[in-house]
Amino acid sequence: MVRKVAVTLPDELYDLIERARAVEHRSRSEVVQEALRTHFGEPVYHPSDLERRQLIEGLEATDPAGTRGWDDVRRQLRSRS
């Protein structure tokens, strides 16, 4: 069963979600679900092969050399305001 939940977020968290979903080509719900699973120690989201290819394509569009690691991507997402 799936349930819809309305959540109020401060601007900085909303912006992080929006940036993450743009980079990772995922829905808002997927990003929030993964964050909650991580927080509560449940299994982490694992993208499908198609989602992984789309993510790589998105990252390569912003970093053609493919030199950025995940930590760098996360830092960049957090630093954009």
Side-chain angles (χ1 to χ4, degrees), residues 4-8:
K4 287 187 176 188
V5 178
V7 177
T8 303

Side-chain angles (χ1 to χ4, degrees), residues 11-80:
D11 286 341
E12 64 270 11
L13 287 179
Y14 180 81
D15 292 341
L16 280 174
I17 290 170
E18 290 302 296
R19 286 189 216 117
R21 72 188 208 102
V23 168
E24 298 174 8
H25 302 284
R26 294 170 47 197
S27 70
R28 208 174 278 123
S29 291
E30 289 171 326
V31 173
V32 172
Q33 287 171 21
E34 181 179 358
L36 290 171
R37 284 188 181 106
T38 300
H39 177 78
F40 290 111
E42 294 182 19
V44 175
Y45 166 82
H46 297 284
S48 68
D49 290 339
L50 173 62
E51 291 168 324
R52 186 169 286 125
R53 280 194 305 273
Q54 290 172 334
L55 174 58
I56 290 168
E57 288 170 8
L59 290 172
E60 287 175 348
T62 59
D63 181 24
T67 56
R68 292 187 307 169
W70 286 112
D71 290 338
D72 291 336
V73 171
R74 287 190 178 108
R75 265 193 299 278
Q76 182 183 8
L77 289 173
R78 288 188 180 111
S79 68
R80 293 183 185 169

